[in-house]
């Protein structure tokens, strides 16, 4: 499945609440009508969540290693 770069940017702005009211309503309607766009949105959100979780785990590791070195 090929996702256009425009859709990626649009869905990103939608996720981060950066669209004006009119654009948001139009995208809401498109998400209802277009199942492929809805799938793209689902996977984009899932990817963002995984990246965020990975970043949090890496930060925990760094803090744990830093604390171990500091208190050794």
């Amino acid at each position: 499945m090929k996702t256009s770069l425009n859709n990626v940017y649009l869905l990103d702005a939608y996720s981060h609440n950066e669209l004006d009211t009119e654009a948001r309503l139009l995208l809401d309607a498109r998400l209802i009508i277009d199942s492929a766009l809805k799938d793209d949105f689902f996977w984009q959100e899932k990817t963002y969540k995984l990246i965020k979780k990975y970043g949090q785990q890496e930060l925990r590791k760094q803090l744990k290693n830093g604390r171990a070195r500091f208190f050794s």
Side-chain angles (χ1 to χ4, degrees), residues 5-66:
L5 196 53
N6 288 338
N7 282 348
V8 171
Y9 289 133
L10 183 61
L11 294 172
D12 184 57
Y14 182 83
S15 295
H16 292 97
N17 229 0
E18 297 171 350
L19 296 177
D20 61 14
T21 305
E22 183 179 319
R24 189 165 185 81
L25 287 172
L26 286 172
L27 188 55
D28 283 335
R30 281 186 62 199
L31 287 169
I32 291 169
I33 295 168
D34 187 350
S35 62
L37 184 63
K38 188 175 182 178
D39 287 344
D40 290 344
F41 180 64
F42 171 81
W43 289 110
Q44 189 168 331
E45 286 293 296
K46 186 106 170 145
T47 302
Y48 287 153
K49 288 176 184 174
L50 287 171
I51 292 168
K52 184 177 179 181
K53 187 171 182 81
Y54 176 78
Q56 289 170 342
Q57 289 173 345
E58 287 300 307
L59 181 58
R60 282 188 193 105
K61 276 190 225 176
Q62 290 174 3
L63 290 172
K64 187 176 180 181
N65 290 338

